[in-house]
Amino acid sequence: MAKSSSLNVRVVEGRALPAKDVSGSSDPYCIVKVDDEVVARTATIWRSLSPFWGEEYTVHLPLDFHHLAFYVLDQDTHDDVIGKISLSREAIAADPRGIDSWINLSRVDPDAEVQGEICLTVQIMEDVRGRCLRCHVLQARDLAPRDISGTSDPFARVFWGSQSSETSTIKKTRFPHWDEVLELRETPGSPSPLRVELWDWDRVGKNDFLGMVEFPPQVLQQNPPNGWFRLLPFPRAEEDSGGNLGALRLKVRLTEDRVLPSQYYQPLRELLMESALGPAEEDAASPLAVLEELTLGDCRQELATKLVKLFLGQGLAGPFLDYLTRREVARTTDPNTLFRSNSLASKSMEQFMKLVGMPYLHELLKPVINRVFEEKKYMELDPCKMDLGRTRRISFKGASSEEHVREASLGLLTGYLGPIVDAIMGSVGRCPPAMRLAFKQLHQRVEERFPQAEHEDAKYLAISGFLFLRFFAPAILTPKLFDLRDQHADPQTSRSLLLLAKAVQSIGNLGQQLGQGKELWLAPLHPFLLQSIARVRDFLDQLVDVDGKEEAGGPARALVPPSVTIREGYLLKRKDEPTSLAPCFAFKKRYFRLSGETLSYSKSPEWQMCSSIPVSHIRAVERVDEGAFQLPHVMQVVTRDSAGVLHTTYLQCKNVNDLNQWLSALRKASAPNPDKLATCHPGAFRSAHWTCCLQAVRSAAGCSRTHSAVTLGDWSDPLDPDAETQMVYRQLLLGRDRLRMTFLEDSDMDTAPEADRGVCPDAPAQQREAAARLLQVLADLDQAHEEFQQQEQGKVAPCSFRP
């Protein structure tokens, strides 16, 4: 049995932020931290006191995380901190629906910015002189950096009653090893708590607080501390800024669940598979029908992702999507409204394309998207938005006319759109077979439902509505959300991407809305669009011309085949062997590619000779302190060779988001590896010692915990049928009462045993039977969860599996 934990975080917007620049504005961005580890950074919104970000992250976490924090900063030569919001795990978990509200920013108090842990062993002894407390202060780790060098000079101070004692000060480290025993004598009076404080020693000015732990007298007497303990700030009331620092609108939801052994989910999985293969139109009591009626909003997208992954793993994604399509088509009377709502069918097809087709999308769009970002050309067709003085600033030849700007923009737009359209139209053979089969089924169902000649385009619009309007166009508009870029676009590039996305939408709509609505300024682009639209029908006919006798590839063990590239890009790699060069010059630029099998690198993407690290050899992937090489955004990949020797490769990323994405991708790729390291060194071994903990032995045990469980959720997450079925089970529980009300008699519903309840005579016999089977499966899973919970609490033995 396992437990899973994930945070869904959306940084929506800010309001009433204070001005930090002389212009009377700010350039705000957000940093998201989980237990003091940065997991995400939003884009910078230039010159705004009410920024809109709309950025969403899913973070997979260990179950023992403590808090989530949001820091708002003003980007400058030296970034100014505006304020922070801190949410405890308990506060987030208090409402299963999560947090969705405006929250005031608070002032950042240095004494409250504590992190790390301390290792202690405490003994209470008695002798002829009375009671004595012996506190063995062994070490601490991951302390907050208080000095400009990125380290601290920590010492510990122990208080017991009126007595106190201190350890020695260890200079320039966040991972001090004291191994000192402090003894204190009990003073007369009532029993006293033990408090251990950590401080950063400063030669000038007052010492800086690093954190504390406190143990009440009862704990000291009954269960003396022995082990690692999380450092806490001094107890104090949370300061309310009263909105003076502004506020953030946040959406945060914590999902924590117990995942049972696989055999307990088999009956529910069988019901789900049966319902996907059965009749759809009149179905009302199967799990899929119940789920479709129940889920709304954000839950529908999450559920769609879990269901698609579950059916992909069983090799039945095609029948599942076909089931939902048949239900959607059957209740639609106007083909113009088909799949226009965010129904479970629409969301499932959308998530299916992301899960199966992301490498295909990257292959088609990435070259042009990269050009748009790198070339930064000014494009505008809307006269109301044209900046006619822009060419004066660029060319110093005076302002251009509106017509000149329009002609230049039209040339640039078609220059970008041409390769995009050509790549799409020529991609039939590269489109994943599973996607082509799903589109073939969709084409067939819509054609059967709307066979009339006036609805000839309905079958094409159904496919293009998904492929162009819900896949290609959103990826062009927001490349970061589709992993096409590491950063959001600046305002000028965003406008260029918007124009390109609008054009692709028009092509996907088969020109139905050309010349209509408010955007008549797109008219100069119409000849190009009409040319492209003429090619779309032929492309879609070729796309659905595929053998559909069986699901492509059968059951899937992973969304991404091992040989497919998961992530790629330039990184700076440090030579493995010690070097006499200065740290920053020892890093060489290399192009890296990560697949499920290898992490390979070469001098450039086209370079034939390359080196590689087998993913199966990776034992840890962790951040490196900036002070190790005097460089930011460095990570380490620790591998073990066939002889059992550990090797470390240091890689520098472009920015914090690039670092987080590489960390996440490498951790997920190496997740199945055995013998993962529990600790590592966040520094480097230089000048005969580790820069982090100052130990002089290269083979010394790691001084910091590893974080292999912390990853970012994305399309490449591995399949996990048990966790996916558990989530479906939780959703079905929400509809259990409705299912009983519809198919079972109301009398004595709350008190009669499940098997003894009568069935509603008005319900068809087949549906009554289906409802009874589903309710029994849910009841069995309920009991299994209850028994496992009791087992954890030591009350009963493990429950046996019910076939």
Side-chain angles (χ1 to χ4, degrees):
M1 186 185 64
K3 290 185 177 181
S4 63
S5 176
S6 64
L7 267 175
N8 185 264
V9 177
R10 189 173 188 205
V11 185
V12 185
E13 58 185 319
R15 69 182 180 194
L17 300 182
K20 291 290 186 178
D21 299 337
V22 293
S23 63
S25 189
S26 290
D27 305 315
Y29 67 91
C30 279
I31 291 287
V32 184
K33 288 186 176 183
V34 174
D35 286 349
D36 305 302
E37 180 166 357
V38 176
V39 295
R41 181 202 191 275
T42 69
T44 299
I45 308 299
W46 303 99
R47 298 179 296 280
S48 176
L49 300 181
S50 298
F52 179 84
W53 290 287
E55 297 196 24
E56 188 167 354
Y57 313 94
T58 297
V59 188
H60 303 303
L61 296 165
L63 288 169
D64 59 351
F65 91 95
H66 297 97
H67 67 274
L68 173 70
F70 301 84
Y71 292 80
V72 181
L73 297 94
D74 168 56
Q75 184 163 331
D76 214 327
T77 306
H78 299 287
D79 295 354
D80 300 314
V81 178
I82 294 174
K84 68 173 283 192
I85 293 169
S86 185
L87 301 172
S88 68
R89 179 181 174 279
E90 292 73 22
I92 300 170
D95 187 340
R97 296 169 299 179
I99 295 170
D100 182 0
S101 62
W102 285 96
I103 304 175
N104 287 340
L105 290 165
S106 299
R107 185 178 66 86
V108 175
D109 180 2
D111 285 345
E113 297 296 296
V114 304
Q115 65 184 62
E117 300 171 302
I118 186 169
C119 186
L120 303 168
T121 299
V122 178
Q123 293 177 301
I124 301 288
M125 300 178 295
E126 294 193 18
D127 56 23
V128 293
R129 299 168 54 193
R131 283 162 51 100
C132 170
L133 181 143
R134 176 175 291 179
C135 182
H136 189 178
V137 184
L138 286 95
Q139 58 182 308
R141 61 189 179 193
D142 296 304
L143 300 180
R146 293 293 193 230
D147 299 337
I148 195 170
S149 62
T151 62
S152 291
D153 304 321
F155 68 92
R157 185 178 290 157
V158 180
F159 298 86
W160 192 44
S162 61
Q163 306 294 309
S164 67
S165 184
E166 292 182 1
T167 66
S168 59
T169 299
I170 300 182
K171 301 289 186 68
K172 294 183 172 52
T173 181
R174 298 192 306 114
F175 300 85
H177 282 248
W178 290 287
D179 197 13
E180 297 182 23
V181 177
L182 306 179
E183 290 190 359
L184 298 95
R185 289 283 172 181
E186 185 177 44
T187 54
S190 58
S192 301
L194 169 67
R195 187 172 77 253
V196 180
E197 299 175 359
L198 293 189
W199 293 84
D200 166 53
W201 177 83
D202 283 331
R203 183 182 299 276
V204 179
K206 66 174 187 176
N207 297 332
D208 300 313
F209 180 65
L210 290 171
M212 58 160 281
V213 291
E214 190 168 48
F215 306 97
Q218 303 93 309
V219 171
L220 295 176
Q221 190 63 40
Q222 300 170 11
N223 188 22
N226 181 14
W228 286 97
F229 301 92
R230 187 168 69 97
L231 295 170
L232 301 172
F234 278 126
R236 66 182 66 196
E238 184 72 23
E239 180 183 349
D240 186 0
S241 65
N244 293 331
L245 297 177
L248 293 185
R249 186 184 170 203
L250 303 172
K251 291 185 178 182
V252 182
R253 183 161 52 88
L254 174 64
T255 303
E256 290 186 314
D257 224 336
R258 177 190 294 105
V259 180
L260 301 174
S262 186
Q263 64 266 29
Y264 289 91
Y265 297 110
Q266 193 57 33
L268 179 54
R269 274 197 287 267
E270 289 174 359
L271 278 183
L272 288 165
M273 304 307 143
E274 285 176 19
S275 60
L277 295 170
E281 292 78 359
E282 302 300 324
D283 184 19
S286 76
L288 289 178
V290 173
L291 289 167
E292 188 178 31
E293 292 299 321
L294 279 177
T295 50
L296 299 170
D298 293 340
C299 288
R300 179 169 286 172
Q301 178 165 318
E302 184 181 1
L303 175 66
T305 304
K306 297 294 185 184
L307 284 171
V308 169
K309 292 178 74 170
L310 181 60
F311 280 94
L312 274 170
Q314 301 295 318
L316 293 173
F320 163 67
L321 294 171
D322 188 44
Y323 171 92
L324 295 178
T325 296
R326 283 180 285 148
R327 289 177 64 83
E328 180 93 359
V329 168
R331 57 175 173 253
T332 302
T333 57
D334 181 0
N336 294 317
T337 64
L338 190 60
F339 300 112
R340 295 299 182 181
S341 67
N342 286 323
S343 63
L344 186 60
S346 298
K347 283 295 182 185
S348 295
M349 182 65 84
E350 190 176 321
Q351 297 306 307
F352 170 75
M353 291 189 297
K354 289 181 180 178
L355 291 167
V356 172
M358 200 66 81
Y360 167 66
L361 177 88
H362 283 201
E363 184 180 0
L364 298 188
L365 299 184
K366 199 164 190 175
V368 176
I369 296 297
N370 286 342
R371 276 183 55 207
V372 174
F373 271 79
E374 291 160 7
E375 293 174 2
K376 295 186 181 298
K377 301 289 188 181
Y378 177 72
M379 297 182 287
E380 186 54 75
L381 295 180
D382 185 354
C384 299
K385 297 182 181 295
M386 281 186 185
D387 182 0
L388 298 180
R390 183 175 182 81
T391 51
R392 175 188 297 169
R393 295 194 297 271
I394 295 175
S395 66
F396 305 102
K397 293 182 180 179
S400 299
S401 66
E402 183 179 304
E403 183 63 29
H404 180 270
V405 173
R406 184 183 295 111
E407 288 178 5
S409 298
L410 184 62
L412 289 168
L413 276 171
T414 53
Y416 291 128
L417 280 171
I420 290 177
V421 173
D422 289 343
I424 292 173
M425 301 307 164
S427 69
V428 170
R430 288 174 286 167
C431 183
M435 280 179 66
R436 296 183 66 184
L437 287 170
F439 291 145
K440 178 177 181 175
Q441 291 173 339
L442 177 61
H443 182 278
Q444 178 183 341
R445 298 303 180 191
V446 175
E447 189 173 38
E448 291 171 353
R449 178 70 176 85
F450 301 104
Q452 300 87 350
E454 64 266 27
H455 299 320
E456 172 67 21
D457 277 347
K459 59 181 179 288
Y460 295 115
L461 286 167
I463 300 172
S464 64
F466 283 116
L467 191 58
F468 285 82
L469 274 63
R470 291 178 181 252
F471 198 42
F472 293 146
I476 293 170
L477 184 62
T478 52
K480 183 176 183 290
L481 300 185
F482 287 76
D483 290 335
L484 288 165
R485 296 291 295 187
D486 294 327
Q487 297 287 340
H488 283 294
D490 58 46
Q492 176 188 318
T493 306
S494 291
R495 180 61 184 172
S496 300
L497 294 174
L498 176 62
L499 294 173
L500 292 171
K502 283 181 179 292
V504 171
Q505 279 183 325
S506 296
I507 294 170
N509 278 324
L510 302 183
Q512 284 192 339
Q513 298 174 1
L514 284 183
Q516 302 176 20
K518 300 178 181 179
E519 296 176 344
L520 299 177
W521 45 266
L522 280 173
L525 202 55
H526 287 180
F528 176 87
L529 297 180
L530 290 171
Q531 260 187 345
S532 302
I533 289 165
R535 304 167 62 188
V536 170
R537 291 180 182 83
D538 182 54
F539 163 69
L540 296 178
D541 282 334
Q542 294 179 52
L543 199 64
V544 300
D545 185 15
V546 60
D547 183 9
K549 292 181 180 178
E550 59 183 47
E551 184 80 8
R557 294 187 177 182
L559 288 173
V560 184
S563 59
V564 170
T565 299
I566 300 169
R567 186 166 182 81
E568 60 184 315
Y570 279 106
L571 299 172
L572 296 179
K573 175 184 176 292
R574 187 175 190 267
K575 293 181 179 179
D576 293 331
E577 298 301 321
T579 175
S580 58
L581 294 174
C584 58
F585 294 110
F587 283 81
K588 300 297 182 184
K589 189 175 183 179
R590 295 291 181 265
Y591 193 85
F592 280 78
R593 286 187 176 92
L594 172 66
S595 71
E597 297 172 335
T598 61
L599 175 64
S600 60
Y601 55 94
S602 56
K603 286 189 176 181
S604 69
E606 301 81 19
W607 201 261
Q608 296 299 316
M609 295 181 60
C610 67
S611 303
S612 65
I613 299 171
V615 167
S616 60
H617 289 187
I618 296 176
R619 293 298 177 264
V621 184
E622 296 295 321
R623 300 171 190 270
V624 175
D625 285 346
E626 189 168 327
F629 301 107
Q630 305 304 315
L631 293 171
H633 318 311
V634 177
M635 66 177 176
Q636 55 181 312
V637 180
V638 184
T639 57
R640 191 190 301 275
D641 62 21
S642 56
V645 179
L646 293 176
H647 302 273
T648 303
T649 302
Y650 296 98
L651 305 172
Q652 187 188 19
C653 304
K654 292 180 291 186
N655 50 56
V656 66
N657 282 340
D658 191 39
L659 171 63
N660 285 328
Q661 287 156 4
W662 273 106
L663 284 169
S664 181
L666 284 162
R667 286 170 180 172
K668 284 189 284 190
S670 61
N673 293 354
D675 305 323
K676 303 288 275 297
L677 298 181
T679 61
C680 72
H681 290 282
F685 194 82
R686 292 175 46 216
S687 302
H689 70 273
W690 287 101
T691 59
C692 45
C693 58
L694 309 181
Q695 295 187 81
V697 180
R698 181 185 285 272
S699 60
C703 57
S704 178
R705 288 195 298 176
T706 54
H707 303 83
S708 59
V710 180
T711 59
L712 296 174
D714 59 23
W715 61 275
S716 64
D717 282 353
L719 297 175
D720 188 345
D722 295 335
E724 289 143 14
T725 312
Q726 171 64 22
M727 191 270 185
V728 172
Y729 155 70
R730 289 295 183 199
Q731 287 293 318
L732 286 168
L733 288 183
L734 301 176
R736 178 159 54 182
D737 288 343
R738 184 185 301 180
L739 199 62
R740 288 172 178 164
M741 291 286 290
T742 305
F743 297 101
L744 302 179
E745 289 183 344
D746 295 342
S747 59
D748 301 324
M749 188 191 320
D750 294 330
T751 58
E754 195 85 55
D756 295 341
R757 294 174 191 149
V759 293
C760 177
D762 295 331
Q766 190 174 4
Q767 292 190 3
R768 294 200 303 265
E769 181 183 351
R773 282 184 65 194
L774 177 55
L775 289 170
Q776 187 58 56
V777 167
L778 297 180
D780 289 345
L781 280 169
D782 274 351
Q783 186 174 350
H785 273 283
E786 184 178 344
E787 290 178 355
F788 265 101
Q789 186 173 0
Q790 291 175 347
Q791 176 195 347
E792 287 179 352
Q793 298 167 355
K795 293 182 179 179
V796 298
C799 54
S800 58
F801 168 60
R802 297 175 184 79

